[in-house]
Amino acid sequence: MQETLDHLAGDWKIYQLKGGHRFSADDVLTAWTAARVCPQADQILDLGSGLGSVGLLTLWRLPGAHLTGVEVQELSYRLAMRTVAQNGLCERVRLIHQDLREPLDLGRFPLVTGSPPYFPLGKATLSPHPQRAAARCELHGDIFDYCRVAARHLLPTGRFVFVHAAGDIRPEEAVARAGLQLLCRQDVLFRSHLEPTIALFVCGFAGQRQDAAAFVIRDAQGHWTDEYLAMRAEMGTTGLRRSP
């Protein structure tokens, strides 16, 4: 399996498989949202951390914080461990190789993040690559599991930020079933004239819901929007021009 060492944020790099699961705009937007809603967080818990991209991007944006990540796939866990070492982050990052559905008691956190798989088994084509399959389909837990574990580890004033498929009705039910309240939903449009494919969710134990206007990545002509370029700059990512 061929590996690549790619830019993540600032001068940080990330190990990924060339033909495996790779981090995406979904991860960057989740981390951006998390850092904005909880800028004073000194501890971050990232559930189903995969390659570590969501947690590490949030950590990069919150330079005074420490990160705990939980990941079940051995391959992704090993790649994330190498990424942590590559960037000299061993003193700021703790990675745990475990299924988040198993007994887990890590204390309480002001900020919990997650990027659950979007599709129930049987609702999407299962990739022959096991790493990509588990990142896309619910082989190791679903949004209900993520919300339940997040609520168990969230401080009373903390926030749980996650991304999910925009057309799925389950996230709001999962949030409520975990005893949390949905405080904000923001749909993401990859093209301004198309329906949203993903949505960003912010949850807590108390507060008033106030949804945000849709975040648009490209306009109808296919150009990157100013808001997307500004978000990328804020998150230390590079390599985009105004026109694709």
Side-chain angles (χ1 to χ4, degrees), residues 4 14-24 27 48-53 73 75-76 79 115 127 129-136:
T4 61
I14 185 170
Y15 282 101
Q16 309 182 97
L17 292 183
K18 188 172 183 179
H21 175 64
R22 299 174 70 83
F23 88 95
S24 65
D27 300 343
S49 54
L51 300 170
S53 48
Q73 290 200 82
L75 176 56
S76 295
L79 287 169
S115 179
S127 172
H129 194 294
Q131 188 197 35
R132 294 181 65 186
R136 176 178 171 82

Side-chain angles (χ1 to χ4, degrees), residues 162-173:
F162 68 91
V163 61
H164 210 273
D168 195 331
I169 64 172
R170 296 177 300 159
E172 295 199 23
E173 181 185 350

Side-chain angles (χ1 to χ4, degrees), residues 147-168:
C147 287
R148 173 177 49 83
V149 176
R152 186 188 304 152
H153 289 88
L154 200 62
L155 284 169
T157 58
R159 294 290 182 263
F160 173 40
V161 179
F162 68 91
V163 61
H164 210 273
D168 195 331

Side-chain angles (χ1 to χ4, degrees), residues 71-201:
E71 172 54 36
V72 64
Q73 290 200 82
E74 183 177 357
L75 176 56
S76 295
Y77 169 78
R78 286 193 285 105
L79 287 169
M81 288 289 287
R82 292 179 61 197
T83 293
V84 168
Q86 166 74 29
N87 295 297
L89 297 171
C90 294
E91 294 185 359
R92 295 183 62 198
V93 179
R94 175 192 180 195
L95 297 178
I96 299 170
H97 182 207
Q98 181 178 327
D99 190 320
L100 62 85
R101 296 169 297 177
E102 296 173 356
L104 192 66
D105 186 5
L106 301 172
R108 300 278 180 164
F109 293 78
L111 181 58
V112 180
T113 57
S115 179
Y118 297 160
F119 302 106
L121 292 177
K123 296 295 185 180
T125 302
L126 196 62
S127 172
H129 194 294
Q131 188 197 35
R132 294 181 65 186
R136 176 178 171 82
C137 296
E138 296 166 351
L139 298 175
H140 303 291
D142 57 22
I143 185 57
F144 292 93
D145 297 307
Y146 276 73
C147 287
R148 173 177 49 83
V149 176
R152 186 188 304 152
H153 289 88
L154 200 62
L155 284 169
T157 58
R159 294 290 182 263
F160 173 40
V161 179
F162 68 91
V163 61
H164 210 273
D168 195 331
I169 64 172
R170 296 177 300 159
E172 295 199 23
E173 181 185 350
V175 169
R177 190 182 295 183
L180 297 168
Q181 293 186 30
L182 180 57
L183 304 178
C184 180
R185 171 182 171 139
Q186 184 174 32
D187 288 338
V188 177
L189 281 62
F190 283 84
R191 288 288 184 103
S192 59
H193 62 291
L194 300 179
E195 292 295 314
T197 52
I198 63 170
L200 302 160
F201 299 83

